[in-house]
Amino acid sequence: MKKITARAHANIALIKYWGKRDSRLNLPAVGSLSLTLKALSTTTSVEFQEGLSEDSLSINGSDAGEKQTRRASRFLDLIRTDAGIQHGAIIDSTNNFPTGAGLASSASGFAALTVAAANAAGLNLSPSRLSELSRQGSGSAARSIFGGFVEMKLGEKADGSDSIAVPLHPAEHWPLAMLILITSEAEKPIGSTEGMNLTAETSPYYPAWVNTSPDDIAIAREAIAARDIEKLGEISEFSCFKMHGLAMSANPAIIYWNGLSVTLIHEIRRLRAQGIPAYVTMDAGPQVKVLTLPEYVEKLTGLLSEIEGIRQIINTEIGGDARILTE
Ligand code: PMV
């Protein structure tokens, strides 16, 4: 069987996904809306080999260890079932960004794995089906199948076949920029799946979160169509802080921020008050992402570089679809 290499970009949700309505199929409790990021990508090759009874996974050149390999294997079982094959696979995956920094490596990772594995198994799948499969690896990975501005549909079917991402606009629709401020490389205290489940079980605010999400998505969709940065930035911050407020209202509280995250949140809002279009978004970790327009990137990078403690600033434009690199 052929060895196939695929590349997918990470993505950052502006309207956040937090909560599952079905754990087995990994169906989200809310829809979400994201930007695919050009500068952050995972490149993965997959080769199914006759006679191999187990999968092997290497990440950035080293053996991935049991837990990660098991997660990838369980995911490959879906592809093996579809393709009617039983062989194990050799998987080799490389991120072009610091791993362990909570930078959505599961999104680009599972999207690249889906595209490479499906093609290596001889399946010729539609992007929608690839997105549906990817979702079962990681919810946010469903969005990384597509470039540009992407919406993850909540869906309503029990089998999850309509819980898939759809491309809204290509990257060229509206050149936006994102600055990713790395505040810490420490491992996050609680992973997204565990965090979501604890939140759903214990937060009194969870029903309000689920009920108000469709409005946020509708506003973000309109803002993107009209290329209105203020409207998009404001609804993105609202969704981000609602998600983090929700996580903090779990019992025990889930707090992803560190001190520097809070300092940066205030600084970005201060700069915005001075007329710079800069809006905060954060995921299940302490890194602060700033949504802005390309013409403000240099100025913002200069101003933010002066703040002590930032480990790295990654500047990215919007990226493209997940794709095969070699046949
Ligand atoms: O894809 P997961 O299961 O790692 O969850 C991602 C959750 C957030 O990054 C916090 C929000 C999102 O929509 O990407």
Side-chain angles (χ1 to χ4, degrees):
M1 300 191 80
K2 270 199 267 177
K3 173 173 165 177
I4 300 286
T5 303
R7 179 170 296 160
H9 296 278
N11 71 78
I12 300 288
L14 297 180
I15 306 301
K16 304 290 183 191
Y17 149 55
W18 197 254
K20 299 177 194 291
R21 70 174 194 280
D22 179 314
S23 289
R24 192 180 62 83
L25 287 170
N26 205 26
L27 301 178
V30 292
S32 53
L33 193 150
S34 61
L35 300 181
T36 300
L37 304 180
K38 191 173 183 177
L40 309 183
S41 66
T42 302
T43 305
T44 300
S45 67
V46 175
E47 185 175 12
F48 291 97
Q49 286 186 355
E50 251 172 82
L52 264 191
S53 57
E54 284 182 9
D55 302 311
S56 74
L57 170 64
S58 109
I59 298 183
N60 295 335
S62 321
D63 184 273
E66 206 187 314
K67 198 175 153 204
Q68 299 230 58
T69 307
R70 212 180 321 118
R71 190 171 172 197
S73 271
R74 267 205 304 265
F75 178 73
L76 282 194
D77 286 344
L78 302 171
I79 307 259
R80 279 187 277 259
T81 305
D82 263 24
I85 58 173
Q86 264 123 38
H87 327 303
I90 297 173
I91 315 161
D92 197 339
S93 188
T94 311
N95 296 319
N96 76 341
F97 51 91
T99 356
L103 279 185
S105 59
S106 72
S108 52
F110 273 104
L113 179 61
T114 305
V115 174
N119 283 279
L123 297 170
N124 183 12
L125 304 177
S126 67
S128 300
R129 176 67 185 143
L130 290 169
S131 177
E132 185 190 350
L133 280 167
S134 232
R135 186 202 69 233
Q136 293 176 70
S138 148
S140 55
R143 301 186 305 242
S144 272
I145 294 296
F146 301 104
F149 299 79
V150 181
E151 182 179 341
M152 176 70 198
K153 295 282 183 192
L154 172 58
E156 52 186 33
K157 292 187 185 162
D159 69 358
S161 58
D162 57 352
S163 239
I164 54 172
V166 294
L168 291 177
H169 303 276
E172 303 76 49
H173 167 72
W174 187 16
L176 290 175
M178 195 165 262
L179 293 178
I180 300 168
L181 314 176
I182 308 291
T183 65
S184 163
E185 270 119 36
E187 207 170 309
K188 50 188 166 190
I190 174 166
S192 53
T193 295
E194 213 187 320
M196 287 177 197
N197 292 341
L198 179 68
T199 308
E201 282 158 22
T202 62
S203 170
Y205 302 155
Y206 187 70
W209 162 256
V210 172
N211 292 338
T212 56
S213 160
D215 291 347
D216 300 345
I217 292 185
I219 293 169
R221 240 194 260 125
E222 282 169 18
I224 292 167
R227 300 184 185 89
D228 183 336
I229 186 71
E230 192 177 339
K231 188 167 172 175
L232 182 62
E234 282 175 3
I235 196 65
S236 299
E237 277 202 357
F238 183 51
S239 174
C240 164
F241 290 125
K242 245 198 304 182
M243 183 203 114
H244 284 274
L246 176 73
M248 286 179 203
S249 72
N251 190 8
I254 305 167
I255 306 172
Y256 284 114
W257 304 350
N258 59 29
L260 183 53
S261 317
V262 178
T263 301
L264 290 169
I265 289 168
H266 286 295
E267 182 58 18
I268 289 151
R269 303 186 108 188
R270 194 182 66 80
L271 292 172
R272 187 156 83 237
Q274 293 175 2
I276 299 179
Y279 299 86
V280 174
T281 188
M282 291 181 70
D283 293 304
Q287 326 309 352
V288 177
K289 291 113 185 181
V290 189
L291 175 71
T292 190
L293 297 170
E295 56 268 36
Y296 289 91
V297 164
E298 209 181 310
K299 184 166 186 191
L300 265 175
T301 308
L303 290 167
L304 293 169
S305 304
E306 285 167 22
I307 298 171
E308 217 171 295
I310 300 181
R311 309 275 174 120
Q312 194 188 348
I313 300 183
I314 301 171
N315 161 23
T316 177
E317 299 167 24
I318 305 181
D321 294 345
R323 64 192 191 282
I324 294 171
L325 298 182
T326 55
E327 296 255 359

